[in-house]
Amino acid sequence: AATGATGVHVFDTVGWDLEFSETIAWDTVFSESDPAYGRIYAAAVFSPDGRLLVTQSSSYGQDMATRATAIWELESGELLNEFFVYPTVGNGAVSFSPDGRLLVTASGEGRPQIFEPYTGRQLGVLRGPSSTAYDVTYSPDGSRIATAEADGTVRVWDVNNEEELFVLRHEYWVLGAAWDNDESRILSWTGDIGGSSSGMARIWNIANMPEMITLRHGSPIRHAAWNATESRIMARFWDYEAKAGMIQIWDVGSGIPL
């Protein structure tokens, strides 16, 4: 799925020949936009079974201080729920539980909320600090949620009772977080540190809490992720000199850029 100022577009990738990917014509199978006013789409996430698409968007040219979260059925293109509007801060953030039964959003006047995706019923709110959560992500087993916070923390929550389990601290606001597959480590990243236009990623061993390694970069990190074997970290950043988006890769074991 791709997002932008014109809408959300889902592409059918069946039959792609990756050896000739530059010549492939992408087939749009679903498109959602607001032709009357235009919307800027900040997030688009599939449910684990591929039946639903969740989008977050802001009205363009109207009230840019609000953002709507919508749930769509992909097969029919039907809007199932558009269940709240909330202050816009940073990028959109949505995460499904691994079984697809729950949905958490970075929302609700800055605090993440948990919903049933098909009914739109709110089940809970992660009521922690007064800061805004920029990112939310379920753990692979669905028992915990990690939130990346504007107060410079990554907070880990118990899904069942919505209680905070522990806190990981950065010096500046945290833009995102990602679990590894066995839930023993969390990757988190920051951008625009102290107005210095530099970024940092950290890998935390959450079994005994010490910071494992710090990965520094001269530009703000917009997003980071583990590779398939979790031996590398890939980060997307904006290079101000080149005026282009770029990717940096680090070796996890040594922290050395590759």
Side-chain angles (χ1 to χ4, degrees), residues 235-258:
R236 174 174 59 88
F237 65 95
W238 179 260
D239 188 304
Y240 287 101
E241 292 186 1
K243 296 182 179 178
M246 295 188 178
I247 300 291
Q248 175 69 60
I249 300 175
W250 287 274
D251 176 78
V252 169
S254 65
I256 297 175
L258 302 177

Side-chain angles (χ1 to χ4, degrees), residues 56-92:
Q56 288 188 329
S57 62
S58 298
S59 296
Y60 183 77
Q62 294 189 50
D63 185 1
M64 290 296 288
T66 62
R67 179 179 289 149
T69 297
I71 300 179
W72 306 84
E73 185 178 60
L74 279 171
E75 184 174 354
S76 65
E78 179 185 356
L79 175 63
L80 299 181
N81 285 295
E82 191 171 26
F83 44 80
F84 62 91
V85 177
Y86 63 92
T88 298
V89 181
N91 296 322

Side-chain angles (χ1 to χ4, degrees), residues 23-105:
T23 63
I24 292 172
W26 289 33
D27 180 24
T28 302
V29 296
F30 172 83
S31 179
E32 191 276 319
S33 61
D34 186 344
Y37 302 108
R39 301 185 71 84
I40 295 176
Y41 288 81
V45 177
F46 293 106
S47 62
D49 61 8
R51 296 175 60 189
L52 302 180
L53 178 72
V54 177
T55 64
Q56 288 188 329
S57 62
S58 298
S59 296
Y60 183 77
Q62 294 189 50
D63 185 1
M64 290 296 288
T66 62
R67 179 179 289 149
T69 297
I71 300 179
W72 306 84
E73 185 178 60
L74 279 171
E75 184 174 354
S76 65
E78 179 185 356
L79 175 63
L80 299 181
N81 285 295
E82 191 171 26
F83 44 80
F84 62 91
V85 177
Y86 63 92
T88 298
V89 181
N91 296 322
V94 179
S95 179
F96 275 96
S97 61
D99 60 9
R101 293 177 54 250
L102 301 175
L103 176 74
V104 62
T105 68

Side-chain angles (χ1 to χ4, degrees), residues 202-220:
R202 282 178 174 164
I203 302 171
W204 308 85
N205 182 340
I206 61 174
N208 51 18
M209 296 304 175
E211 175 189 332
M212 292 181 63
I213 196 167
T214 296
L215 312 173
R216 298 184 183 275
H217 199 277
S219 298

Side-chain angles (χ1 to χ4, degrees), residues 188-208:
S188 57
W189 58 93
T190 68
D192 297 316
I193 296 175
S196 63
S197 296
S198 60
M200 172 192 300
R202 282 178 174 164
I203 302 171
W204 308 85
N205 182 340
I206 61 174
N208 51 18

